[in-house]
Amino acid sequence: MNAAFREFGMVGAVDRQTWLFDFMRSLDGSALSERERKACWTWAETWSLCMTSQPSHRAPRYPYEWVRRQVRHPALRGCH
């Protein structure tokens, strides 16, 4: 994956969010269909909950459409 999840250790909320936004950027630039992207996103968000040091019931959720809008927004590109 990336440095945020190095050696499968537990990570904080900021590292999780950074990883998820980076993952969305790679999905958004891929040749996958929208259906395949949503399936990958569902897996990634669920998997990231297992890697966070936050209790999963308290960890923020990142809906696919919302994150995609953030990643595509011209004023937010490159921001985490």
Side-chain angles (χ1 to χ4, degrees):
M1 293 282 131
N2 77 8
F5 291 114
R6 60 188 157 277
E7 298 179 21
F8 300 104
M10 300 302 271
V11 299
V14 173
D15 288 334
R16 177 175 172 252
Q17 180 181 356
T18 299
W19 184 82
L20 284 168
F21 273 65
D22 287 345
F23 187 77
M24 177 59 80
R25 284 184 189 90
S26 57
L27 278 180
D28 201 39
S30 74
L32 296 173
S33 70
E34 189 68 12
R35 183 174 174 227
E36 292 168 323
R37 289 178 189 167
K38 285 182 179 182
C40 287
W41 182 258
T42 299
W43 169 84
E45 189 188 18
T46 302
W47 180 80
S48 72
L49 286 171
C50 297
M51 299 305 290
T52 185
S53 55
Q54 289 181 297
S56 62
H57 67 280
R58 293 188 56 215
R61 298 303 193 267
Y62 296 97
Y64 175 84
E65 289 79 8
W66 182 83
V67 175
R68 189 182 63 186
R69 275 194 311 273
Q70 301 303 308
V71 167
R72 289 181 175 179
H73 192 286
L76 301 175
R77 282 185 194 229
C79 297
H80 296 290

